[in-house]
Amino acid sequence: MHVTVEVVGEGVEKVSVAEDGTYADLVRAVDLSPHEVSVLVDGSPVPEDQPVEADRVKILRLIKGGTGG
């Protein structure tokens, strides 16, 4: 199954995931950790262990690097 993944503020890409793949699998496919993001489907968060049922998701990074002051 192909899913369009938008990492908010970073870009969009098409990702292939197994039919029984989870949202955590999608997150790993874009080189992020499920522990540092929230996955949104139609604007609502979904559990990372839930099977993928959407063809388009947004990934919101919760932790972002920056410069210290």
Side-chain angles (χ1 to χ4, degrees), residues 24-46:
D25 295 329
L26 276 182
V27 171
R28 286 187 205 93
V30 294
D31 293 326
L32 294 172
S33 166
H35 302 292
E36 66 184 47
V37 301
S38 283
V39 180
L40 307 174
V41 174
D42 296 327
S44 297
V46 294

Side-chain angles (χ1 to χ4, degrees):
M1 137 182 255
H2 295 285
V3 180
T4 300
V5 177
E6 176 186 351
V7 179
V8 176
E10 297 183 30
V12 177
E13 63 181 278
K14 284 265 194 198
V15 174
S16 293
V17 66
E19 288 299 320
D20 62 347
T22 65
Y23 290 104
D25 295 329
L26 276 182
V27 171
R28 286 187 205 93
V30 294
D31 293 326
L32 294 172
S33 166
H35 302 292
E36 66 184 47
V37 301
S38 283
V39 180
L40 307 174
V41 174
D42 296 327
S44 297
V46 294
E48 66 187 47
D49 60 351
Q50 180 175 319
V52 176
E53 297 174 349
D55 61 355
R56 185 172 183 90
V57 302
K58 285 187 178 184
I59 295 179
L60 180 63
R61 292 184 77 158
L62 303 175
I63 302 169
K64 203 156 188 159
T67 58

